[in-house]
Amino acid sequence: MKKYFINVNEEETPKYIIIERHIKKLIDSNKIEDGEKLPSIRVLAQLLGVNNITVVNAYKKLENEGHAVQKMGSGTYAKRKDINRNFKREYSETLKKISGNLQEYIDFTGETPSSSFFPVKLFKDVLNNVLDRDGADALIYQEALGYEGLRKSISNVFWKNRIRSNDILIVSGAQQGIDIVSKALINTNDSVIVEKPTYSGALSVFKWRRADIFEVPMGEDGIDIVKLEKILKKNTIKCFYTMSYFQNPTAVSYSEEKKIQILKLADIYDFYIIEDDYLSELIYDESMVYKSFKSLDKNDRVIYIKSFSKIFLPGIRIGYLIPPANFKESIQNSKINTDISTSSLMQRTLDLYIRKGFWKEYIANIRVLYKNRYIYMEQCLRKHLGDKVDFISPGGGLHFYMKIKDSLKINSITLFRLAKEKKVLLTPGILFYKSPSDGEKYFKLGFSQTDEEGIEKGIKIINNLMEV
């Protein structure tokens, strides 16, 4: 009965609402379990020093809002609403609402490098050079594949000319790349495989295409191959979506051995791999060697997607896509039907920025900056949350993925709400699963938008909240 006690005289809010809110919080945090019988009206009224009608009204409000159910002749029982289903909207609206006051928060939700590290003056000089060089031509639409100069730069600098520039398609970021590929390849009721958990933007695209989505759990070096092959044996799979480095949200990177196994299975079972190459530039562990699925692909099974927006500057919205020969035309047509051309000026500016060597310099600088921040955050997590969460050390990227220990009753939605009240923002794991309830005990902490002082302060606050 102790957990039900609350001082109802502390504020001006009606007493029945204070009681209802308190019980609702206990239900949401699993301190009152789903289906648990609530105290009788008389007993709770005596405990809180209120009259019976106050408790009756509190129970009625809980029932009306779906947090309790009354059984005739038996009493009132807790009912845990499926709060997960509508949480995505709540999360999005919360971030929108506070976007203008984000500096007041410790922000662990960021997924891109901080704009404070971006060399604005240098980029502005390059942009002006493009306008001086190309004049009005810099502002006109390009050919469907994208600006030829940028495609040649990508081929030369990132692929050592192993990929022809005519096989590269410029897109407006990774999200558009996933959407374009889905429109070209996936029809209603086609089957796709995703990692469990996976990027919520990809899940949304596949659901919108009305695909049948199969999930394969992630291990420490990629998905479970045995479970993958079980699905492949029983179903005709069109494609497998993967993030090969520092996966969002688990931060896992695939081993070369596992990549080769999956490529072999793609050939045997006739499916394609959509590789979203996410943040592979930010490798801090020197023992990790970069090899994409695409670079290991001998049978043209990989559709490679890369965004410059994730690592460079979100506002420029530029990425590229390398399709297999079989789907090159249909994917190009899908891009044309989605939009005519990605910003010509930004393509030309990025091309010159890469050609002048500024891109490599920028990546080298932020790799050093974020490696230091990564090391510091890992130390803080082990120091302050080591007894409350489990996590892997990814060796790169911009985030860590936490699993709340089973001994703790709190879930990630409750933690998100409590942390928000303390001006700390985190990302609950339910956003990354086909079935949201699978992510209740997980949350993601990014360090791209928060300095070392904020990192330790925020982690200490989360630690305190998890002790409640």
Side-chain angles (χ1 to χ4, degrees), residues 74-337:
S74 177
T76 303
Y77 293 79
K79 181 182 178 185
R80 191 154 178 242
K81 288 177 68 179
D82 188 3
I83 54 177
N84 300 330
R85 294 288 173 189
N86 297 319
F87 181 73
K88 188 173 182 180
R89 186 185 305 121
E90 177 190 335
Y91 177 78
S92 177
E93 288 175 355
T94 296
L95 296 189
K96 281 180 186 174
K97 193 180 294 183
I98 66 177
S99 59
N101 302 309
L102 207 52
Q103 67 277 4
E104 298 176 10
Y105 290 77
I106 296 172
D107 182 14
F108 289 129
T109 66
E111 296 184 2
T112 56
S114 172
S115 58
S116 61
F117 295 155
F118 185 71
V120 176
K121 185 181 182 304
L122 179 59
F123 192 76
K124 181 181 175 183
D125 290 342
V126 174
L127 191 150
N128 286 333
N129 286 343
V130 168
L131 288 171
D132 290 341
R133 182 192 71 191
D134 300 344
D137 287 343
L139 305 173
I140 62 172
Y141 286 131
Q142 299 301 324
E143 60 269 33
L145 291 179
Y147 177 55
E148 186 179 7
L150 178 57
R151 288 187 283 114
K152 285 182 176 178
S153 288
I154 291 169
S155 172
N156 181 279
V157 175
F158 302 113
W159 293 95
K160 308 299 181 191
N161 295 316
R162 292 191 300 270
I163 301 291
R164 297 183 309 162
S165 62
N166 283 345
D167 291 331
I168 295 169
L169 175 66
I170 304 300
V171 294
S172 300
Q175 182 68 31
Q176 188 191 61
I178 298 165
D179 183 58
I180 286 168
V181 170
S182 296
K183 287 175 181 175
L185 267 70
I186 301 169
N187 297 310
T188 301
N189 297 328
D190 278 347
S191 296
V192 301
I193 294 176
V194 299
E195 298 155 336
K196 182 180 182 181
T198 192
Y199 169 49
S200 58
L203 266 182
S204 297
V205 169
F206 299 140
K207 286 178 180 178
W208 180 76
R209 295 297 295 170
R210 296 183 181 178
D212 290 330
I213 302 171
F214 293 88
E215 295 176 300
V216 180
M218 289 289 283
E220 291 193 0
D221 67 342
I223 57 170
D224 185 318
I225 293 291
V226 173
K227 290 183 179 178
L228 171 64
E229 191 158 15
K230 280 183 179 178
I231 294 172
L232 293 170
K233 285 177 178 178
K234 293 179 180 178
N235 303 274
T236 301
I237 300 299
K238 184 64 76 72
C239 60
F240 162 52
Y241 171 76
T242 178
M243 305 178 88
S244 46
Y245 282 86
F246 315 121
Q247 193 251 13
N248 186 9
T250 65
V252 164
S253 297
Y254 279 74
S255 64
E256 183 177 344
E257 179 186 2
K258 192 154 280 189
K259 288 174 190 166
I260 292 170
Q261 286 178 304
I262 294 169
L263 284 163
K264 286 179 180 176
L265 290 174
D267 198 41
I268 293 168
Y269 292 99
D270 192 23
F271 67 90
Y272 288 83
I273 298 166
I274 303 173
E275 180 180 17
D276 186 350
D277 189 356
Y278 178 73
L279 297 182
S280 60
E281 295 87 350
L282 297 182
I283 294 174
Y284 313 133
D285 182 348
E286 293 180 3
S287 68
M288 290 180 72
V289 178
Y290 173 70
K291 284 188 180 179
S292 63
F293 276 94
K294 188 67 180 176
S295 67
L296 298 168
D297 182 18
K298 296 177 181 178
N299 297 304
D300 210 17
R301 287 281 164 184
V302 177
I303 302 163
Y304 179 89
I305 300 172
K306 182 68 183 178
S307 174
F308 291 106
S309 309
K310 290 289 184 190
I311 193 70
F312 194 44
L313 189 67
I316 68 171
R317 306 305 304 155
I318 293 179
Y320 68 96
L321 189 156
I322 305 172
N326 284 355
F327 296 108
K328 182 176 177 181
E329 188 175 342
S330 59
I331 287 175
Q332 287 175 6
N333 290 337
S334 178
K335 160 66 174 170
I336 293 167
N337 291 333

Side-chain angles (χ1 to χ4, degrees), residues 354-369:
I354 292 169
R355 286 176 185 271
K356 285 181 173 288
F358 298 145
W359 170 265
K360 284 187 175 180
E361 187 179 315
Y362 167 74
I363 294 299
N365 287 338
I366 65 166
R367 190 183 291 124
V368 171
L369 289 165

Side-chain angles (χ1 to χ4, degrees), residues 10-74:
E10 280 187 343
E11 47 186 294
E12 296 179 3
T13 308
K15 293 176 182 178
Y16 81 94
I17 291 180
I18 296 173
I19 296 168
E20 182 268 339
R21 286 175 179 170
H22 178 62
I23 294 176
K24 177 177 173 289
K25 188 177 287 188
L26 291 174
I27 293 170
D28 285 346
S29 62
N30 274 341
K31 289 177 181 174
I32 296 176
E33 294 183 1
D34 187 29
E36 182 179 329
K37 187 175 181 179
L38 301 181
S40 70
I41 291 166
R42 181 178 59 81
V43 169
L44 189 58
Q46 287 178 347
L47 176 71
L48 301 179
V50 298
N51 60 48
N52 288 358
I53 296 298
T54 300
V55 177
V56 168
N57 288 337
Y59 279 5
K60 277 184 179 177
K61 192 168 192 320
L62 281 168
E63 192 174 354
N64 290 338
E65 294 190 2
H67 292 283
V69 60
Q70 189 177 37
K71 297 180 181 179
M72 294 300 293
S74 177

